[in-house]
Amino acid sequence: MDKPAGRRFRSREWFADPQRSDMTALYLERFMNYGLTPEELRSGRPIIGIAQTGSDLSPCNRIHLDLVRRVRDGIRDAGGIPMEFPVHPIFENCRRPTAALDRNLAYLGLVEILYGYPIDAVVLTTGCDKTTPAGIMAASTVDIPAIVLSGGPMLDGWHDGQLVGSGTVIWRSRRQLAAGQIDEEEFLQRACSSAPSAGHCNTMGTASTMNAVAEALGLSLPGCAAIPAPYRERGQMAYETGKRIVGMAHEDLRPSRLLSRESFLNALSVVSCAGGSSNAQVHIMAMARHAGVELRPEDWTQHAYDLPLLLDMQPAGRFLGERFFRAGGVPALMWELLQAGRLHGDCPTVTGRTVAQNIEGREASDREVIRPFDEPLMHKAGFLVLSGNLFDFGIMKTSVISQRFRERYLSRPGHEGVFEARAIVFDGADDYHARINDPALEIDEACILVMRGAGPIGWPGSAEVVNMQPPDALIQRGVQTLPTLGDGRQSGTADSPSILNVSPESAVGGGLCWLQTGDVLRIDLNAGRCDALVSDEEIARRLREQPPPPVPPSQSPWEEIYRSHTGQLVDGATLDMALKYRRIAEKTPRHNH
């Protein structure tokens, strides 16, 4: 699009304010010490921030340390001035007690940078799970032009001639370890084989899901999300992203002009058809709330549950990221949805064109990987929202319900989609690992494993610990999966059909706080209900007489702040006091001297 003449960028309030030459001199002076010139900064060209999430502490995003050179090239060639700055690191695998603490912390830091420094537009570098929502949340709060550049997934992992997907191989192999089919050395080798190159998870875990969401929202260039990190196309995409953000700066194409209820519903549809991560629920809700967009918990069921599974990619399917990219990536999935009338094609995007215009002619090239809408891997494969006397909200990823699980629990004649199970309750992951093999619990096929104390307040941060496996003895008998439920999350790479993100959590008085081992739960997927078969009188007695489940004390200042201001998973676990701050860049902060 043509660049409007004479647009005055906010950075000129720092570098070219004729009323305050003293402050202009102060702001300019130190940028000179690495070779910038006053003429550049006072030229009226847009200053483009590059939010650098790559570091040695963030292996999934480390590719951005190299990609940033191509971003800079694109910015310069389009007439902008690049300024790179660090973002608080987020690394899902290694951060303890959970990386969920860091999404809101990275958000806060990024808001302050984008608001308080002379930045006219920003490239958000993303990859690992929570780097994507953190960046988008911050861009919405500040509301300057922003574009998402994913670092891309790793190359496909192989072990003994078999595809091994990052994360997914961990959950599948630990069951084989418990069954005595492999030893610890084989377990470690499989895990290492699943990570053969730079990039984030090569499965449709939370990282791939959230970068697909950014593209579905219209915040990335078409095709950005699925390009593997080492491919040449990734560097080319970085260059084009750098060029495009300069155009967006001139067009003043901000998140508030792109994000709408319809664009978020598009994201829900893409996640469902891709067999995406259950963590998408938390992050999409958080992004919508910071954007001031109304999104309801029931939208998952009403708008996306009845969608088919189209992408044959682990953990819901067989293949990995390279094959997905070659099949057409996110644009091919969106093309299928558009042809079926299940996508809002008129939503605007960072290209300056609509979704429908961006994906015109992008039909999949590999129909084994991306199925036609009317020939899916599974019908009604989206996310199902449940409620009951235990919780107001829980969500279940149905695309990972195996045929064996369906036959065992959901196929009783006359009661299809309904089952009852005896609850085995654990207070946190340590309790689970200490007692799961205790014979006194008498865990069998008729049980449901329940994890409490794993939510935003109880953990704190909400941990990916609900994808519990059965006791070793049961696995050795061939029972690979039991129903699971919890007030925390599970890895997006997990293949467990769990009821997740239960809200309110036990730590704030949710129904799991009074649940006891031995109680019978009735799950009705047809009605979207999950109830403990316990009388109201007994529930009242337990609440009156039983001590609440233990909540560990905060171990750092940020944990205490987080607990004081963070809401429940149903609402995105946002810092609720931050939601009132929107479009804050419309008012320039006052001078500092």
Side-chain angles (χ1 to χ4, degrees):
M1 297 178 68
D2 294 335
K3 301 172 183 177
R7 170 161 159 69
R8 182 178 176 84
F9 293 110
R10 69 191 296 267
S11 59
R12 292 183 69 76
E13 300 296 323
W14 278 260
F15 300 134
D17 183 356
Q19 305 302 317
R20 291 299 303 271
S21 59
D22 59 331
M23 296 308 303
T24 294
L26 182 68
Y27 299 140
L28 279 171
E29 175 256 337
R30 208 52 58 90
F31 284 104
M32 303 303 102
N33 73 4
Y34 66 93
L36 284 177
T37 67
E39 291 74 22
E40 287 177 280
L41 299 179
R42 293 167 61 81
S43 65
R45 295 157 64 188
I47 294 177
I48 310 297
I50 305 172
Q52 177 58 271
T53 59
S55 73
D56 288 349
L57 280 179
S58 303
C60 298
N61 290 39
R62 199 176 186 281
I63 188 70
H64 285 298
L65 297 177
D66 296 322
L67 284 177
V68 72
R69 291 195 291 270
R70 294 300 288 147
V71 178
R72 285 177 171 273
D73 290 344
I75 292 170
R76 279 287 180 182
D77 285 355
I81 300 171
M83 283 195 179
E84 181 184 354
F85 58 85
V87 177
H88 181 83
I90 307 177
F91 178 30
E92 189 64 43
N93 293 36
C94 212
R95 170 68 155 101
R96 299 167 72 170
T98 173
L101 285 166
D102 286 332
R103 188 201 67 184
N104 290 352
L105 187 56
Y107 156 79
L108 284 178
L110 189 51
V111 165
E112 293 303 314
I113 293 169
L114 298 181
Y115 174 62
Y117 284 87
I119 296 171
D120 300 307
V122 64
V123 176
L124 304 169
T125 64
T126 67
C128 191
D129 305 8
K130 296 162 186 66
T131 56
T132 305
I136 294 173
M137 289 155 57
S140 290
T141 295
V142 181
D143 202 33
I144 60 173
I147 193 169
V148 171
L149 174 66
S150 165
M154 295 180 286
L155 299 177
D156 292 358
W158 293 88
H159 184 79
D160 288 344
Q162 300 293 318
L163 281 171
V164 286
S166 51
T168 300
V169 71
I170 301 290
W171 319 124
R172 293 176 179 175
S173 294
R174 71 176 184 176
R175 293 194 292 264
Q176 292 178 291
L177 182 66
Q181 297 170 356
I182 61 173
D183 59 20
E184 289 189 8
E185 182 60 28
E186 172 69 8
F187 191 174
L188 293 174
Q189 287 302 316
R190 289 183 180 189
C192 292
S193 295
S194 72
S197 74
H200 60 67
C201 289
N202 49 28
T203 48
M204 187 49 70
T206 308
S208 289
T209 299
M210 293 315 303
N211 287 290
V213 164
E215 192 171 327
L217 288 171
L219 296 178
S220 290
L221 294 181
C224 177
I227 304 169
Y231 277 30
R232 67 168 183 243
E233 290 90 343
R234 179 52 67 191
Q236 292 164 348
M237 180 59 72
Y239 175 75
E240 294 297 334
T241 298
K243 286 180 61 179
R244 180 58 196 142
I245 190 59
V246 177
M248 290 176 64
H250 284 282
E251 296 155 23
D252 196 26
L253 194 54
R254 295 174 273 134
S256 61
R257 297 183 175 181
L258 297 174
L259 297 178
S260 64
R261 176 169 167 78
E262 289 73 25
S263 63
F264 277 99
L265 292 178
N266 282 348
L268 267 59
S269 298
V270 168
V271 171
S272 293
C273 287
S277 167
S278 55
N279 290 306
Q281 177 268 320
V282 182
H283 300 316
I284 290 176
M285 181 60 75
M287 291 186 293
R289 296 186 80 199
H290 280 289
V293 172
E294 181 188 12
L295 202 63
R296 299 181 293 268
E298 57 269 23
D299 285 332
W300 284 95
T301 296
Q302 294 175 358
H303 291 274
Y305 169 61
D306 65 344
L307 287 170
L309 177 63
L310 302 181
L311 178 59
D312 195 350
M313 184 172 172
Q314 296 182 25
R318 297 173 293 168
F319 302 113
L320 296 173
E322 286 188 80
R323 190 85 179 262
F324 177 43
F325 167 66
R326 291 197 297 269
V330 175
L333 278 177
M334 296 180 74
W335 186 90
E336 288 294 333
L337 288 165
L338 186 65
Q339 304 311 302
R342 299 298 300 269
L343 197 74
H344 296 278
D346 57 351
C347 291
T349 73
V350 293
T351 65
R353 300 181 296 169
T354 66
V355 165
Q357 291 171 326
N358 285 345
I359 62 177
E360 184 177 358
R362 300 296 286 266
E363 183 177 359
S365 60
D366 183 344
R367 285 306 192 180
E368 188 178 18
V369 179
I370 299 176
R371 304 291 185 90
F373 191 89
D374 56 357
E375 299 176 24
L377 289 159
M378 182 189 297
H379 294 281
K380 290 190 174 182
F383 290 80
L384 183 64
V385 172
L386 300 99
S387 60
N389 65 355
L390 281 171
F391 49 83
D392 297 331
F393 172 87
I395 196 164
M396 186 177 194
K397 177 178 175 178
T398 65
S399 63
V400 292
I401 297 178
S402 68
Q403 187 59 33
R404 180 178 295 183
F405 187 94
R406 190 174 298 278
E407 290 171 356
R408 177 177 289 135
Y409 297 105
L410 303 174
S411 301
R412 189 159 57 101
H415 301 274
E416 290 81 2
V418 182
F419 69 96
E420 294 183 0
R422 181 170 61 91
I424 308 295
V425 182
F426 298 101
D427 285 312
D430 290 342
D431 184 35
Y432 160 77
H433 287 290
R435 295 196 299 127
I436 184 61
N437 289 311
D438 184 351
L441 293 175
E442 298 181 339
I443 301 174
D444 58 21
E445 295 92 327
C447 291
I448 181 169
L449 306 180
V450 179
M451 176 71 70
R452 66 185 178 192
I457 309 306
W459 191 261
S462 80
E464 296 184 340
V465 293
V466 180
N467 49 316
M468 298 168 281
Q469 70 182 32
D472 294 355
L474 215 55
I475 293 175
Q476 290 160 12
R477 283 170 33 203
V479 180
Q480 299 291 308
T481 308
L482 288 176
T484 57
L485 179 154
D487 57 10
R489 301 172 296 113
Q490 78 177 25
S491 170
T493 64
D495 54 0
S496 171
S498 305
I499 300 171
L500 303 156
N501 307 355
V502 163
S503 305
E505 63 181 300
S506 63
V508 298
L512 294 188
C513 77
W514 53 257
L515 190 68
Q516 293 180 354
T517 291
D519 290 342
V520 174
L521 272 56
R522 188 173 192 269
I523 293 91
D524 185 342
L525 300 188
N526 306 312
R529 295 284 304 182
C530 176
D531 294 283
L533 304 184
V534 179
S535 69
D536 291 343
E537 293 77 16
E538 174 61 12
I539 294 171
R541 185 196 66 78
R542 293 180 187 181
L543 288 172
R544 185 173 60 251
E545 298 178 5
Q546 290 182 178
V551 176
S554 297
Q555 298 296 312
S556 72
W558 171 240
E559 286 186 13
E560 183 170 339
I561 294 170
Y562 180 96
R563 279 174 154 155
S564 299
H565 295 286
T566 299
Q568 292 293 288
L569 293 175
V570 60
D571 294 322
T574 54
L575 295 168
D576 290 343
M577 53 80 179
L579 296 173
K580 63 179 177 286
Y581 295 96
R582 297 198 186 114
R583 304 184 185 183
I584 63 175
E586 291 179 352
K587 182 177 180 181
T588 305
R590 59 184 179 179
H591 290 296
N592 60 19
H593 282 73

